[in-house]
Amino acid sequence: MKEQKYILKNQNSFELKDIFECGQCFRWNEEEDGSYTGVIKEAVINVKKENEDIIFTGKCEGKIKEIVEYYFDVNTNYEEIKEKLSNIDEYLKTSVEYGKGIRILNQDLWETIISFIISANNNIPRIKGIIERLSQKYGDEIEWSGKKYYTFPTPEQLKDVTVSEYRNLGLGFRDIRLYETTKMILNQEIDLEKLQSNPSTQEVREELLKLSGVGPKVADCILLFSNLKRYDVFPIDVWVRRVMNDLYIKEDDETKVSKTKIEKIANEKFGNIKGLAQQYLFYWRREN
C-alpha cells in the first residue's frame, strides 16, 4: 500500500456535500477544512475541492486514479442527465439546481447490502456509528496520516460472528438480519457476482428481497446506490412520499398515499432515470 495523489480537473457536477450528505453512503466524514475522508474497499481516500479541481489523496493498493474514477462514476455525463431532468418540470429544475453536485457512487455491493439493512428505521449518525464499530471489530486496520481506519468486513470475516455479538455493537433488532444475510451469502444462496451480471432489474430485485432484512425500500436503495447502478428504481421513504405528494399527488394525508401511486407517477414523469430524479427530489426536500 502506498500514498498517492490524483487531481480531476474542471469538474462542475461534483460537490462534496451533495455527494456525501445525500443519504447514499455512510463511511465518509467531513474534516475541518471541508474535505471528506472515507474508506473505499481497501483504500483510505481524502477528497478535497479547490475551485473546479477535485484533489484525491490517500493510501491504497492499485492506482488511485482507477479507484476514484470508478467509485465516483467519473465517466457518466451528469450535465446531460441534469439537463434531461430539468426539462421535465419546474420542480425538477429547482431540485437539480439545488443538488447540482450529486453523483451516485459505485459502492461495493456487499457493503451496500449490509449498510442498508442497518439503515432500516435508523438515523444517519447511528447508522454510521454501527458501521464504524462493525468495521473496527472485524475489518482490517489501515493507518494513514496518523489515524487508524478500518475496511468494511467481508462475509468471510463475519462468518463466526454470533447474533449476540452483533447485538453488542448496537444493532438492535437488525442483529439476526445481519447474521442470516451473511450466512445466505456465504452459503451461495444468493450469488452477488451473478446479480452484478444480470441485466434484469426485476430479477435482481427479487433475489435481493430473499435476503433477511431486505424489504422493497432497502432493495431499491441497494439497486440504486451500489455498483449494480440501476437508475430505473425509485426508493420511497417518508421524504420521497412527502415530496411526491406535495408536488404531484396533493392528497390531504400524505401517509395514505400508496407506493403504487407514487411509482406510477415516477414512471410516467421520469422514465428509466427515475432513480436519479428521486435523489435530487429527496435531497432538496430533506435539506429544505
Side-chain angles (χ1 to χ4, degrees), residues 169-184:
L169 294 174
L171 275 144
F173 68 89
R174 305 162 199 85
D175 53 10
I176 186 74
R177 292 167 184 186
L178 219 65
Y179 175 85
E180 289 172 348
T181 281
T182 303
K183 289 283 176 269
M184 289 174 85

Side-chain angles (χ1 to χ4, degrees), residues 176-201:
I176 186 74
R177 292 167 184 186
L178 219 65
Y179 175 85
E180 289 172 348
T181 281
T182 303
K183 289 283 176 269
M184 289 174 85
I185 303 288
L186 286 166
N187 297 338
Q188 293 281 298
E189 289 171 57
I190 305 288
D191 186 327
L192 299 186
E193 276 182 33
K194 273 191 187 157
L195 293 189
Q196 290 179 75
S197 58
N198 185 342
S200 164
T201 299

